[in-house]
Amino acid sequence: MKRRVLPGLPLSLGITLVYAAIIIVLPLIALVFKAASLGPADYWRIISSDRAVASYVVTISCAFVATVFNLVFGLALAWVLVRYRFPGRRIIDALVDLPFALPTAVAGISLTTLFAVNGWFGGPLSALGIKVAYTPLGIMIAMAFTSLPFVVRTVQPVLEELDPTLEEAAQTLGGSDLSIFARVVLPLLTPALLAGVSLSFARSLGEFGAIIFIAGNQPFETEITALLAFIRLEEYDYPASAAIASVMLIAAFVMLAVTNLLQARALRYTVRN
Amino acid sequence: MAKHLSGRRPPRIGDAPNFRRALIGIVLFFVAVVVIAPLAVIASHAFSKGLPYFAAAIAEPDTRHAIMLTVMTALIAVPINTAFGIAAAWAITKHDFPGRRLLLIVIEIPFSISPIVAGVSYLFVYGLQGLFGPVLEAAELKIMFALPGIVLASMFVTAPFVARELIPLMQAQGRDLEEAATSLGASGWRTFFTVTLPNIKWALLYGVVLCNSRVMGEFGAVSVVSGNIRGQTNTLPLHIELLYHDYDAVGAFAAASILATLAVITLVVKVALERQGAGRRSRPASLAGNDSLSEVKP
């Protein structure tokens, strides 16, 4: 039987396509166009300059550390929220989303104030010889903060749905908690963990607001790629800014592809189980 | 979940009391450091010189102007993105057409892109060096470094917010009710307002609240296109940066406390709406926290 066709397709699809074209696609094409107008030699010179490469290294290495932290802490947080009952659990559950709700500039000045040498945490840490604000460690903390919810929110529902009989079966076979976790639970969580990790890493690569306050922004040491693109703009070096931004755009699309691939795999995995 | 933890069942892994206490302790410690301390430090600094000083900082003309500009931006950008989200969800979930998957990916793009890249991209459309720069200059239309640019950049950043809440929900709800309504003679609009809207209202509100929160807090994209003119094109987040770099800590944190309060209100409303069934997490059938729209089958 042929389905009845609902009305409103021309209007709704028309609005959607026009809006997506003007608001989302056009600016990105303009950026690619501007970067492409440089010519291959100039483009390569700009994106492979020492300062640009140093900014990639700072951004990627800090994002890596922040993501590893979020992998471990996010899993622990999801585990505690799903498996244990304790006073304040619901409040903690709601607060996990604070990094998404709190504007990045607000997060930036708060974290900087907390971790500056005279701050609540920075003071005791500097007494131990650890400097956080205006070092790569500060960048890592800002990145970890802004991408904290991803792993928690991807793992939490899978953990809630986990079939207890799988653990029970492993327990009756005499497995220790650690080996059951490593060999039964963790493999079931892996697709969700990977999806969360890729979202978290992608967000860290692009983060700007929270980082620039705490980073110190010294070229070659604590300058992230997003800031370099911004600085080139302020210097009216528009082609260089376009080139660097285009590198970030490519990285974003690679991460988008990776994330979609991982999520498609995770979906297949959950459906099969 | 709770029912599995009742005494009759054998303890599950990780339920040993000492391990449990230690893990909860560690997690609470990190939550306190990472999430609660930033909120506390905002309040502590905003009120460090007392309430009158705080009130004076908020009432300062440039801060007031920044608040107005931020509210105005949200009043324009949020309704437009809401209409877009509803239109996109209606087209994608209530109809079949080729390229739906591609459209889903395009709508999702802003989530993956750095706000700085978004801002720079807009500059190359509407700025003097941009595609339309010469035309706009000839027509004496100022988009960059003015309100339209701020609104456009905010709309880019938050374009997916409403659509991503509506699409999975409307996909799951199917088309039967709408088909019944139109077969009984209801018009498209009437079907939407009396049949579809009541079923999606909480998810819609959820998307609107999150969209508003992001518009009001957006920093990176807006900072590229605003020009940072004090008292003219400074939104509240940009004004916070300016005050902070002026070493006006009380002013910066007083302004920040407004946005932090907004964030806390957003979280409270979010939890309330999740109890009504909005938000992905309350739909266990869908894949866990799938941040992607691609779970929708074409």
Side-chain angles (χ1 to χ4, degrees), chain A residues 230-255:
Chain A
F230 189 77
I231 288 174
R232 290 291 180 250
L233 266 190
E234 292 198 316
E235 295 167 351
Y236 303 104
D237 190 350
Y238 295 102
S241 181
I244 294 163
S246 75
V247 171
M248 294 183 68
L249 186 66
I250 293 165
F253 277 125
V254 169
M255 286 310 299

PDB file of all heavy atoms in Angstrom, chain A residues 230-255:
ATOM      1  N   PHE A 230      43.464  33.242  15.233  1.00  0.00           N
ATOM      2  CA  PHE A 230      42.895  34.495  15.732  1.00  0.00           C
ATOM      3  C   PHE A 230      43.930  35.624  15.683  1.00  0.00           C
ATOM      4  O   PHE A 230      43.639  36.748  15.270  1.00  0.00           O
ATOM      5  CB  PHE A 230      42.395  34.269  17.165  1.00  0.00           C
ATOM      6  CG  PHE A 230      41.604  35.414  17.721  1.00  0.00           C
ATOM      7  CD1 PHE A 230      40.290  35.603  17.342  1.00  0.00           C
ATOM      8  CD2 PHE A 230      42.166  36.297  18.629  1.00  0.00           C
ATOM      9  CE1 PHE A 230      39.545  36.663  17.858  1.00  0.00           C
ATOM     10  CE2 PHE A 230      41.434  37.352  19.148  1.00  0.00           C
ATOM     11  CZ  PHE A 230      40.114  37.530  18.765  1.00  0.00           C
ATOM     12  N   ILE A 231      45.152  35.305  16.088  1.00  0.00           N
ATOM     13  CA  ILE A 231      46.224  36.320  16.093  1.00  0.00           C
ATOM     14  C   ILE A 231      46.503  36.801  14.672  1.00  0.00           C
ATOM     15  O   ILE A 231      46.681  38.001  14.426  1.00  0.00           O
ATOM     16  CB  ILE A 231      47.505  35.736  16.744  1.00  0.00           C
ATOM     17  CG1 ILE A 231      47.291  35.606  18.252  1.00  0.00           C
ATOM     18  CG2 ILE A 231      48.716  36.605  16.446  1.00  0.00           C
ATOM     19  CD1 ILE A 231      48.430  34.900  18.969  1.00  0.00           C
ATOM     20  N   ARG A 232      46.542  35.862  13.709  1.00  0.00           N
ATOM     21  CA  ARG A 232      46.794  36.247  12.313  1.00  0.00           C
ATOM     22  C   ARG A 232      45.715  37.210  11.816  1.00  0.00           C
ATOM     23  O   ARG A 232      45.994  38.124  11.045  1.00  0.00           O
ATOM     24  CB  ARG A 232      46.848  35.007  11.423  1.00  0.00           C
ATOM     25  CG  ARG A 232      48.092  34.150  11.660  1.00  0.00           C
ATOM     26  CD  ARG A 232      49.354  34.861  11.187  1.00  0.00           C
ATOM     27  NE  ARG A 232      50.549  34.061  11.401  1.00  0.00           N
ATOM     28  CZ  ARG A 232      51.485  34.363  12.300  1.00  0.00           C
ATOM     29  NH1 ARG A 232      51.373  35.440  13.054  1.00  0.00           N
ATOM     30  NH2 ARG A 232      52.544  33.598  12.438  1.00  0.00           N
ATOM     31  N   LEU A 233      44.482  37.001  12.269  1.00  0.00           N
ATOM     32  CA  LEU A 233      43.399  37.928  11.907  1.00  0.00           C
ATOM     33  C   LEU A 233      43.668  39.316  12.472  1.00  0.00           C
ATOM     34  O   LEU A 233      43.505  40.326  11.793  1.00  0.00           O
ATOM     35  CB  LEU A 233      42.084  37.450  12.513  1.00  0.00           C
ATOM     36  CG  LEU A 233      41.127  36.592  11.719  1.00  0.00           C
ATOM     37  CD1 LEU A 233      39.824  36.499  12.486  1.00  0.00           C
ATOM     38  CD2 LEU A 233      40.892  37.145  10.339  1.00  0.00           C
ATOM     39  N   GLU A 234      44.044  39.352  13.745  1.00  0.00           N
ATOM     40  CA  GLU A 234      44.274  40.644  14.394  1.00  0.00           C
ATOM     41  C   GLU A 234      45.449  41.374  13.760  1.00  0.00           C
ATOM     42  O   GLU A 234      45.532  42.593  13.846  1.00  0.00           O
ATOM     43  CB  GLU A 234      44.506  40.438  15.890  1.00  0.00           C
ATOM     44  CG  GLU A 234      43.245  39.964  16.591  1.00  0.00           C
ATOM     45  CD  GLU A 234      43.302  40.165  18.094  1.00  0.00           C
ATOM     46  OE1 GLU A 234      44.363  39.857  18.683  1.00  0.00           O
ATOM     47  OE2 GLU A 234      42.295  40.622  18.670  1.00  0.00           O
ATOM     48  N   GLU A 235      46.354  40.607  13.138  1.00  0.00           N
ATOM     49  CA  GLU A 235      47.476  41.222  12.416  1.00  0.00           C
ATOM     50  C   GLU A 235      47.091  41.555  10.972  1.00  0.00           C
ATOM     51  O   GLU A 235      47.945  41.933  10.187  1.00  0.00           O
ATOM     52  CB  GLU A 235      48.689  40.268  12.407  1.00  0.00           C
ATOM     53  CG  GLU A 235      49.268  40.008  13.785  1.00  0.00           C
ATOM     54  CD  GLU A 235      50.255  38.840  13.802  1.00  0.00           C
ATOM     55  OE1 GLU A 235      50.372  38.118  12.774  1.00  0.00           O
ATOM     56  OE2 GLU A 235      50.910  38.653  14.841  1.00  0.00           O
ATOM     57  N   TYR A 236      45.832  41.381  10.655  1.00  0.00           N
ATOM     58  CA  TYR A 236      45.309  41.618   9.296  1.00  0.00           C
ATOM     59  C   TYR A 236      45.948  40.705   8.260  1.00  0.00           C
ATOM     60  O   TYR A 236      45.954  41.011   7.078  1.00  0.00           O
ATOM     61  CB  TYR A 236      45.456  43.085   8.882  1.00  0.00           C
ATOM     62  CG  TYR A 236      44.784  44.012   9.853  1.00  0.00           C
ATOM     63  CD1 TYR A 236      45.521  44.757  10.760  1.00  0.00           C
ATOM     64  CD2 TYR A 236      43.397  44.110   9.872  1.00  0.00           C
ATOM     65  CE1 TYR A 236      44.893  45.580  11.671  1.00  0.00           C
ATOM     66  CE2 TYR A 236      42.751  44.932  10.776  1.00  0.00           C
ATOM     67  CZ  TYR A 236      43.511  45.670  11.680  1.00  0.00           C
ATOM     68  OH  TYR A 236      42.875  46.474  12.576  1.00  0.00           O
ATOM     69  N   ASP A 237      46.532  39.589   8.707  1.00  0.00           N
ATOM     70  CA  ASP A 237      47.106  38.620   7.773  1.00  0.00           C
ATOM     71  C   ASP A 237      46.012  37.599   7.456  1.00  0.00           C
ATOM     72  O   ASP A 237      46.035  36.471   7.934  1.00  0.00           O
ATOM     73  CB  ASP A 237      48.333  37.953   8.416  1.00  0.00           C
ATOM     74  CG  ASP A 237      49.099  37.115   7.408  1.00  0.00           C
ATOM     75  OD1 ASP A 237      48.568  36.910   6.288  1.00  0.00           O
ATOM     76  OD2 ASP A 237      50.211  36.667   7.733  1.00  0.00           O
ATOM     77  N   TYR A 238      45.041  38.031   6.643  1.00  0.00           N
ATOM     78  CA  TYR A 238      43.860  37.204   6.402  1.00  0.00           C
ATOM     79  C   TYR A 238      44.170  35.879   5.715  1.00  0.00           C
ATOM     80  O   TYR A 238      43.633  34.849   6.108  1.00  0.00           O
ATOM     81  CB  TYR A 238      42.801  37.990   5.631  1.00  0.00           C
ATOM     82  CG  TYR A 238      42.270  39.145   6.430  1.00  0.00           C
ATOM     83  CD1 TYR A 238      42.690  40.446   6.182  1.00  0.00           C
ATOM     84  CD2 TYR A 238      41.370  38.928   7.472  1.00  0.00           C
ATOM     85  CE1 TYR A 238      42.209  41.503   6.937  1.00  0.00           C
ATOM     86  CE2 TYR A 238      40.887  39.976   8.232  1.00  0.00           C
ATOM     87  CZ  TYR A 238      41.312  41.268   7.965  1.00  0.00           C
ATOM     88  OH  TYR A 238      40.851  42.297   8.719  1.00  0.00           O
ATOM     89  N   PRO A 239      45.029  35.855   4.679  1.00  0.00           N
ATOM     90  CA  PRO A 239      45.310  34.554   4.046  1.00  0.00           C
ATOM     91  C   PRO A 239      45.895  33.545   5.036  1.00  0.00           C
ATOM     92  O   PRO A 239      45.498  32.375   5.044  1.00  0.00           O
ATOM     93  CB  PRO A 239      46.328  34.896   2.952  1.00  0.00           C
ATOM     94  CG  PRO A 239      46.131  36.346   2.681  1.00  0.00           C
ATOM     95  CD  PRO A 239      45.722  36.950   3.983  1.00  0.00           C
ATOM     96  N   ALA A 240      46.814  34.011   5.900  1.00  0.00           N
ATOM     97  CA  ALA A 240      47.416  33.091   6.870  1.00  0.00           C
ATOM     98  C   ALA A 240      46.350  32.570   7.823  1.00  0.00           C
ATOM     99  O   ALA A 240      46.320  31.378   8.158  1.00  0.00           O
ATOM    100  CB  ALA A 240      48.529  33.794   7.640  1.00  0.00           C
ATOM    101  N   SER A 241      45.459  33.474   8.251  1.00  0.00           N
ATOM    102  CA  SER A 241      44.391  33.051   9.142  1.00  0.00           C
ATOM    103  C   SER A 241      43.509  32.006   8.458  1.00  0.00           C
ATOM    104  O   SER A 241      43.135  30.994   9.065  1.00  0.00           O
ATOM    105  CB  SER A 241      43.559  34.262   9.553  1.00  0.00           C
ATOM    106  OG  SER A 241      42.549  33.878  10.427  1.00  0.00           O
ATOM    107  N   ALA A 242      43.195  32.258   7.169  1.00  0.00           N
ATOM    108  CA  ALA A 242      42.364  31.307   6.423  1.00  0.00           C
ATOM    109  C   ALA A 242      43.057  29.951   6.318  1.00  0.00           C
ATOM    110  O   ALA A 242      42.421  28.906   6.495  1.00  0.00           O
ATOM    111  CB  ALA A 242      42.055  31.853   5.033  1.00  0.00           C
ATOM    112  N   ALA A 243      44.367  29.976   6.038  1.00  0.00           N
ATOM    113  CA  ALA A 243      45.103  28.726   5.873  1.00  0.00           C
ATOM    114  C   ALA A 243      45.086  27.920   7.170  1.00  0.00           C
ATOM    115  O   ALA A 243      44.801  26.715   7.170  1.00  0.00           O
ATOM    116  CB  ALA A 243      46.534  29.014   5.438  1.00  0.00           C
ATOM    117  N   ILE A 244      45.367  28.596   8.284  1.00  0.00           N
ATOM    118  CA  ILE A 244      45.420  27.882   9.565  1.00  0.00           C
ATOM    119  C   ILE A 244      44.032  27.385   9.952  1.00  0.00           C
ATOM    120  O   ILE A 244      43.859  26.249  10.413  1.00  0.00           O
ATOM    121  CB  ILE A 244      46.039  28.775  10.656  1.00  0.00           C
ATOM    122  CG1 ILE A 244      47.507  29.029  10.307  1.00  0.00           C
ATOM    123  CG2 ILE A 244      45.930  28.137  12.022  1.00  0.00           C
ATOM    124  CD1 ILE A 244      48.123  30.185  11.029  1.00  0.00           C
ATOM    125  N   ALA A 245      43.019  28.248   9.737  1.00  0.00           N
ATOM    126  CA  ALA A 245      41.646  27.815  10.033  1.00  0.00           C
ATOM    127  C   ALA A 245      41.250  26.626   9.165  1.00  0.00           C
ATOM    128  O   ALA A 245      40.526  25.734   9.612  1.00  0.00           O
ATOM    129  CB  ALA A 245      40.663  28.974   9.835  1.00  0.00           C
ATOM    130  N   SER A 246      41.743  26.592   7.913  1.00  0.00           N
ATOM    131  CA  SER A 246      41.393  25.474   7.027  1.00  0.00           C
ATOM    132  C   SER A 246      42.011  24.167   7.533  1.00  0.00           C
ATOM    133  O   SER A 246      41.407  23.104   7.383  1.00  0.00           O
ATOM    134  CB  SER A 246      41.816  25.753   5.588  1.00  0.00           C
ATOM    135  OG  SER A 246      43.209  25.604   5.441  1.00  0.00           O
ATOM    136  N   VAL A 247      43.189  24.269   8.147  1.00  0.00           N
ATOM    137  CA  VAL A 247      43.782  23.066   8.742  1.00  0.00           C
ATOM    138  C   VAL A 247      42.884  22.547   9.871  1.00  0.00           C
ATOM    139  O   VAL A 247      42.613  21.345   9.975  1.00  0.00           O
ATOM    140  CB  VAL A 247      45.209  23.357   9.277  1.00  0.00           C
ATOM    141  CG1 VAL A 247      45.739  22.178  10.091  1.00  0.00           C
ATOM    142  CG2 VAL A 247      46.145  23.684   8.134  1.00  0.00           C
ATOM    143  N   MET A 248      42.383  23.483  10.680  1.00  0.00           N
ATOM    144  CA  MET A 248      41.478  23.080  11.765  1.00  0.00           C
ATOM    145  C   MET A 248      40.183  22.493  11.208  1.00  0.00           C
ATOM    146  O   MET A 248      39.604  21.562  11.784  1.00  0.00           O
ATOM    147  CB  MET A 248      41.150  24.276  12.656  1.00  0.00           C
ATOM    148  CG  MET A 248      42.348  24.802  13.412  1.00  0.00           C
ATOM    149  SD  MET A 248      41.879  26.139  14.514  1.00  0.00           S
ATOM    150  CE  MET A 248      40.885  25.254  15.714  1.00  0.00           C
ATOM    151  N   LEU A 249      39.729  23.065  10.078  1.00  0.00           N
ATOM    152  CA  LEU A 249      38.509  22.560   9.443  1.00  0.00           C
ATOM    153  C   LEU A 249      38.712  21.120   8.971  1.00  0.00           C
ATOM    154  O   LEU A 249      37.856  20.257   9.185  1.00  0.00           O
ATOM    155  CB  LEU A 249      38.122  23.465   8.269  1.00  0.00           C
ATOM    156  CG  LEU A 249      36.790  23.158   7.588  1.00  0.00           C
ATOM    157  CD1 LEU A 249      35.624  23.419   8.531  1.00  0.00           C
ATOM    158  CD2 LEU A 249      36.616  23.997   6.321  1.00  0.00           C
ATOM    159  N   ILE A 250      39.860  20.870   8.339  1.00  0.00           N
ATOM    160  CA  ILE A 250      40.157  19.512   7.868  1.00  0.00           C
ATOM    161  C   ILE A 250      40.210  18.554   9.061  1.00  0.00           C
ATOM    162  O   ILE A 250      39.623  17.468   9.033  1.00  0.00           O
ATOM    163  CB  ILE A 250      41.487  19.486   7.073  1.00  0.00           C
ATOM    164  CG1 ILE A 250      41.322  20.284   5.780  1.00  0.00           C
ATOM    165  CG2 ILE A 250      41.913  18.057   6.774  1.00  0.00           C
ATOM    166  CD1 ILE A 250      42.638  20.630   5.090  1.00  0.00           C
ATOM    167  N   ALA A 251      40.898  18.990  10.135  1.00  0.00           N
ATOM    168  CA  ALA A 251      40.988  18.142  11.327  1.00  0.00           C
ATOM    169  C   ALA A 251      39.589  17.848  11.871  1.00  0.00           C
ATOM    170  O   ALA A 251      39.296  16.717  12.279  1.00  0.00           O
ATOM    171  CB  ALA A 251      41.839  18.821  12.398  1.00  0.00           C
ATOM    172  N   ALA A 252      38.708  18.871  11.845  1.00  0.00           N
ATOM    173  CA  ALA A 252      37.349  18.680  12.357  1.00  0.00           C
ATOM    174  C   ALA A 252      36.593  17.653  11.520  1.00  0.00           C
ATOM    175  O   ALA A 252      35.875  16.802  12.059  1.00  0.00           O
ATOM    176  CB  ALA A 252      36.596  20.005  12.380  1.00  0.00           C
ATOM    177  N   PHE A 253      36.770  17.723  10.195  1.00  0.00           N
ATOM    178  CA  PHE A 253      36.072  16.770   9.330  1.00  0.00           C
ATOM    179  C   PHE A 253      36.621  15.357   9.512  1.00  0.00           C
ATOM    180  O   PHE A 253      35.858  14.383   9.486  1.00  0.00           O
ATOM    181  CB  PHE A 253      36.149  17.203   7.864  1.00  0.00           C
ATOM    182  CG  PHE A 253      35.095  18.228   7.512  1.00  0.00           C
ATOM    183  CD1 PHE A 253      35.441  19.446   6.956  1.00  0.00           C
ATOM    184  CD2 PHE A 253      33.753  17.971   7.763  1.00  0.00           C
ATOM    185  CE1 PHE A 253      34.474  20.398   6.651  1.00  0.00           C
ATOM    186  CE2 PHE A 253      32.784  18.909   7.461  1.00  0.00           C
ATOM    187  CZ  PHE A 253      33.136  20.122   6.903  1.00  0.00           C
ATOM    188  N   VAL A 254      37.925  15.243   9.709  1.00  0.00           N
ATOM    189  CA  VAL A 254      38.495  13.919   9.978  1.00  0.00           C
ATOM    190  C   VAL A 254      37.900  13.357  11.269  1.00  0.00           C
ATOM    191  O   VAL A 254      37.455  12.206  11.318  1.00  0.00           O
ATOM    192  CB  VAL A 254      40.044  13.994  10.068  1.00  0.00           C
ATOM    193  CG1 VAL A 254      40.612  12.692  10.596  1.00  0.00           C
ATOM    194  CG2 VAL A 254      40.631  14.330   8.711  1.00  0.00           C
ATOM    195  N   MET A 255      37.856  14.206  12.306  1.00  0.00           N
ATOM    196  CA  MET A 255      37.301  13.737  13.580  1.00  0.00           C
ATOM    197  C   MET A 255      35.818  13.392  13.452  1.00  0.00           C
ATOM    198  O   MET A 255      35.323  12.451  14.069  1.00  0.00           O
ATOM    199  CB  MET A 255      37.491  14.802  14.676  1.00  0.00           C
ATOM    200  CG  MET A 255      38.901  14.936  15.196  1.00  0.00           C
ATOM    201  SD  MET A 255      39.663  13.364  15.670  1.00  0.00           S
ATOM    202  CE  MET A 255      38.570  12.804  16.977  1.00  0.00           C
TER     203      MET A 255
END
